[in-house]
Amino acid sequence: MAELALSQELDERLLHLLGALETLQGKRDEFNSRVEQGWFSLSKSRFAMGCKSVSALQYGAHMEPLVRVCASQGEGGQVAFQVIPEWNPSTEAAEGSPSVEEIGPQDQVLRQRKGPGKTAAPGPPLGPAPKSDSQRGALSQDPLTWFGILVSQSLRQAQNSFKEGILLAGEIASLQSDIEVTQAQYRALLERKRQLLAREG
Amino acid sequence: MAGRGKLIAVLGDEDTVTGFLLGGVGELNKHRKPNFLVVEKDTSLTEIEETFRSFLAREDIGIILINQFIAELIRHVLDGHTRSLPAVLEIPSKEHPYDAARDSILRRARGMFTAEDLR
């Protein structure tokens, strides 16, 4: 009976391992595809902006990470990695801040062509739309700004590809941890089964 | 900083590092060492190994991305890393596509079964 229970547990671990390996392969293919797209876009941006304009020489002197990883350990010892990006557009939408900065007076006012006496003085100017600190910070920290004020669309595409790749990297890291833990569990169960068979035999 | 989550480190060629820095993984200020290394033709093996070991030792790094051709140069260090944190991901480079047969994690999974084990 104990042997049967052990064999069933071994089968379950094996099936879980094979499933995780299959999922890992799919995620890896997706990740590799994103990264290759990113390289292609980087090459296109070099073609558009110049070879020397997109290189390690342009890296910022000060960098703040816009992506972090939270690692949480599960019951079996496997570690789940969750990538937390600080570029999340849903956060910006929730705050209601406009994505495009509007400058100038909010209301239509008459232009004073001939001095202040000829036309009514405009009301007190309204301030620009308030930005959250995080949005202001994120804009100033955007690595795209290292490469100039006007960057090519290819460079933005490269950034998007690599951002997607980073999210996939977190999932791959979680799967790898799951696979390692499952392997260890499988080996331990196999050893127990061998010892049991040796005692009975 | 540690309370907000861990960092993602990158060891790779210029395109790989540039791409992931564009994605926002980079950290560099006057107080801390960078969490990335651009490996060029004249980068020494010692520097690569020391940088990788320093990333492994840092508690604020959760994932290390490393081009597989660079991982091959320091395979003995990768094979010796059996902890869950930080996770090491071998990634392709422009000139060297990803080969699952060389991946440390997948090599440990391969050859784990024999006909005897499945009886």
Side-chain angles (χ1 to χ4, degrees), chain A residues 9-27 175 178-183 185-186, chain B residues 106 108-113 118:
Chain A
E9 225 176 312
L10 273 166
D11 289 341
E12 277 170 25
R13 293 290 93 209
L14 183 58
L15 285 171
H16 180 79
L17 179 63
L18 294 174
L21 283 168
E22 193 177 354
T23 309
L24 177 65
Q25 187 181 3
K27 291 288 177 189
L175 281 167
D178 188 25
I179 286 168
E180 287 186 320
V181 165
T182 308
Q183 277 178 31
Q185 289 171 346
Y186 185 86
Chain B
L106 296 180
R108 283 178 208 149
R110 243 181 355 143
M112 125 182 211
F113 306 109
L118 296 172

Side-chain angles (χ1 to χ4, degrees), chain A residues 14 17 21 24 28 31-32 35 39 42-43 46 54-56 59-71 73 77 79 81 83 86-87 142-144 146-147 155 158-159 162-163 165-166 169-170 172-173 176-177 179-180 183 186-187 190 193-194, chain B residues 1-2 4-8 13-30 35-36 38 40 62-63 65 67 81-94 98 103 105-106 108-110 112-114 116-119:
Chain A
L14 183 58
L17 179 63
L21 283 168
L24 177 65
R28 273 225 170 259
F31 175 83
N32 293 347
V35 170
W39 290 327
L42 274 178
S43 299
R46 282 201 185 94
V54 183
S55 71
Y59 292 172
H62 179 92
M63 296 181 199
E64 286 286 338
L66 300 178
V67 178
R68 293 195 180 267
V69 172
C70 277
Q73 196 141 17
V79 180
F81 293 88
V83 174
E86 292 179 17
W87 66 69
D142 188 356
L144 277 177
W146 304 339
F147 303 97
L155 198 61
Q159 185 182 48
F162 279 100
K163 279 180 178 176
I166 288 164
I172 291 170
Q176 283 186 176
S177 175
I179 286 168
E180 287 186 320
Q183 277 178 31
Y186 185 86
R187 282 194 206 102
L190 201 60
K193 185 181 174 184
R194 281 190 189 129
Chain B
M1 283 241 181
R4 291 170 56 191
K6 296 182 187 286
L7 300 171
I8 298 175
D13 54 22
E14 188 180 279
D15 273 7
T16 302
V17 175
T18 301
F20 283 107
L21 290 184
L22 269 175
V25 305
E27 185 191 61
L28 176 65
N29 60 33
K30 59 181 178 180
N35 64 333
F36 57 91
V38 179
E40 289 162 339
I63 298 176
L65 302 172
N67 283 141
H81 172 65
T82 52
R83 287 181 290 129
S84 307
L85 276 172
V88 179
L89 266 66
E90 296 180 32
I91 61 178
S93 62
K94 274 171 81 170
Y98 175 74
D103 192 308
I105 305 291
L106 296 180
R108 283 178 208 149
R110 243 181 355 143
M112 125 182 211
F113 306 109
T114 63
E116 187 73 24
D117 295 338
L118 296 172
R119 268 202 299 150

Side-chain angles (χ1 to χ4, degrees), chain A:
Chain A
M1 279 300 285
E3 188 189 330
L4 186 63
L6 260 177
S7 297
Q8 278 178 346
E9 225 176 312
L10 273 166
D11 289 341
E12 277 170 25
R13 293 290 93 209
L14 183 58
L15 285 171
H16 180 79
L17 179 63
L18 294 174
L21 283 168
E22 193 177 354
T23 309
L24 177 65
Q25 187 181 3
K27 291 288 177 189
R28 273 225 170 259
D29 289 342
E30 224 178 307
F31 175 83
N32 293 347
S33 167
R34 291 286 182 281
V35 170
E36 284 163 15
Q37 273 174 25
W39 290 327
F40 184 54
S41 299
L42 274 178
S43 299
K44 284 200 288 186
S45 66
R46 282 201 185 94
F47 182 75
M49 295 164 62
C51 286
K52 306 278 184 197
S53 302
V54 183
S55 71
L57 295 171
Q58 274 73 43
Y59 292 172
H62 179 92
M63 296 181 199
E64 286 286 338
L66 300 178
V67 178
R68 293 195 180 267
V69 172
C70 277
S72 54
Q73 196 141 17
E75 287 176 3
Q78 68 273 26
V79 180
F81 293 88
Q82 189 188 6
V83 174
I84 302 171
E86 292 179 17
W87 66 69
N88 195 348
S90 62
T91 311
E92 291 170 8
E95 288 174 6
S97 313
S99 58
V100 177
E101 183 183 348
E102 295 176 11
I103 56 174
Q106 299 296 311
D107 291 337
Q108 295 271 341
V109 296
L110 288 173
R111 284 190 192 181
Q112 297 180 356
R113 291 179 185 273
K114 293 183 180 178
K118 293 284 180 181
T119 53
L126 297 172
K131 272 190 192 173
S132 65
D133 284 338
S134 61
Q135 191 183 15
R136 233 180 279 120
L139 279 172
S140 64
Q141 290 169 25
D142 188 356
L144 277 177
T145 57
W146 304 339
F147 303 97
I149 297 167
L150 291 173
V151 296
S152 71
Q153 192 61 25
S154 307
L155 198 61
R156 292 182 190 278
Q157 286 169 355
Q159 185 182 48
N160 288 335
S161 296
F162 279 100
K163 279 180 178 176
E164 289 169 14
I166 288 164
L167 295 174
L168 285 166
E171 293 177 39
I172 291 170
S174 300
L175 281 167
Q176 283 186 176
S177 175
D178 188 25
I179 286 168
E180 287 186 320
V181 165
T182 308
Q183 277 178 31
Q185 289 171 346
Y186 185 86
R187 282 194 206 102
L189 285 168
L190 201 60
E191 188 55 37
R192 271 172 58 189
K193 185 181 174 184
R194 281 190 189 129
Q195 288 172 359
L196 194 63
L197 288 173
R199 254 184 266 138
E200 287 173 2

